[in-house]
Amino acid sequence: MSLPRLRLRNGRFTTIEQLIQDLQNPTPLLQRVGAYLKASIQNRITTTKTAPDGTPWAPWAFVTEMARERKGTAGYGLLYDSGALYNSIDYQVVGKQVIAGAGVSYA
């Protein structure tokens, strides 16, 4: 007996049996989710300059903008100054969950 096929968003076809097998070992899927989260967070810091809900960041105060222009980091956005936060964004797969965040602390 042949199982029904499902079409996934990336154009690949798979069987329900394959989906069940993939979910029994979710690590590869969770790795892809983690990589997506990392790229999404970094993109919001440097490109879209929005909160996770899509709300745009408030404009800078004039003094902040002048200081960033002198430093050469004005184009990167509010959360990018030295690059430490941006470069510390990472993820980790722990069991059946993905943890994404920054590896630097701020007061």
Side-chain angles (χ1 to χ4, degrees):
M1 178 176 124
S2 173
L3 290 173
R5 292 172 92 50
L6 302 171
R7 184 177 184 139
L8 302 180
R9 288 175 68 168
N10 64 1
R12 287 185 33 217
F13 286 92
T14 190
T15 62
I16 292 174
E17 182 178 77
Q18 182 63 48
L19 285 173
I20 292 169
Q21 185 178 354
D22 288 347
L23 292 175
Q24 288 174 349
N25 177 21
T27 302
L29 173 63
L30 294 175
Q31 292 285 351
R32 290 192 300 274
V33 168
Y36 172 81
L37 286 172
K38 177 180 178 175
S40 174
I41 293 166
Q42 289 178 324
N43 184 56
R44 282 189 289 108
I45 289 172
T46 59
T47 307
T48 63
K49 300 173 179 88
T50 57
D53 68 359
T55 308
W57 295 341
W60 285 346
F62 178 75
V63 181
T64 304
E65 189 173 350
M66 294 293 102
R68 289 294 183 90
E69 284 181 8
R70 280 192 305 276
K71 194 169 187 178
T73 59
Y76 291 109
L78 178 65
L79 296 180
Y80 192 105
D81 186 27
S82 68
L85 174 65
Y86 177 88
N87 291 322
S88 77
I89 304 293
D90 210 351
Y91 69 92
Q92 185 176 14
V93 174
V94 179
K96 293 185 178 182
Q97 60 182 335
V98 179
I99 301 167
V104 294
S105 352
Y106 290 89

